[in-house]
Amino acid sequence: MRFFGLKTCDTCRKALVALKAQGITPQVVDVRADGLSVDDITAIVQAFGDSAINRASTTWRGLSEEVRAQDTAALLAAYPTLMKRPVIATDDGWTIGWKADVQAKHLGG
């Protein structure tokens, strides 16, 4: 399991605590510190399209209309913290966020 998030994100921290409590130790990718590879960006965009961008974020609000008009892959490459979090990649596919359905999928509940 690969876990894409931010170490400063409350939702990401909650998700990691819950996963570790279930005995799952994912490979953590801090998108601010580690960035996103081209392959990961491509896979995230294929899985989630435009919904991979968190349009409620402080980063998004600080962008000009011209920058916001870029495609999702370009935005994630330039501003990886725009990604909705966490994004989790497993052999079964990709999930985004940490709502009840995602929790059930990863925690077996």
Side-chain angles (χ1 to χ4, degrees):
M1 174 183 287
R2 295 175 63 216
F3 182 101
F4 298 85
L6 288 172
K7 64 182 174 187
T8 57
C9 171
D10 289 339
T11 303
C12 293
R13 286 195 293 247
K14 288 177 194 172
L16 282 171
V17 167
L19 289 168
K20 288 178 182 175
Q22 291 293 316
I24 301 166
T25 306
Q27 173 193 351
V28 177
V29 178
D30 184 310
V31 297
R32 179 176 287 133
D34 305 324
L36 289 166
S37 72
V38 172
D39 290 343
D40 289 334
I41 290 170
T42 301
I44 290 167
V45 171
Q46 284 179 342
F48 307 110
D50 288 342
S51 64
I53 300 293
N54 179 0
R55 288 178 169 75
S57 72
T58 305
T59 304
W60 178 260
R61 290 191 302 266
L63 298 177
S64 69
E65 288 300 319
E66 181 180 322
V67 173
R68 289 180 184 181
Q70 294 179 28
D71 73 355
T72 302
L75 284 167
L76 289 176
Y79 306 96
T81 58
L82 279 176
M83 182 186 74
K84 281 187 185 170
R85 306 176 291 272
V87 169
I88 301 173
T90 66
D91 292 340
D92 295 334
W94 293 76
T95 61
I96 195 166
W98 192 243
K99 299 218 182 295
D101 60 329
V102 174
Q103 292 177 36
K105 178 178 170 103
H106 294 298
L107 302 176

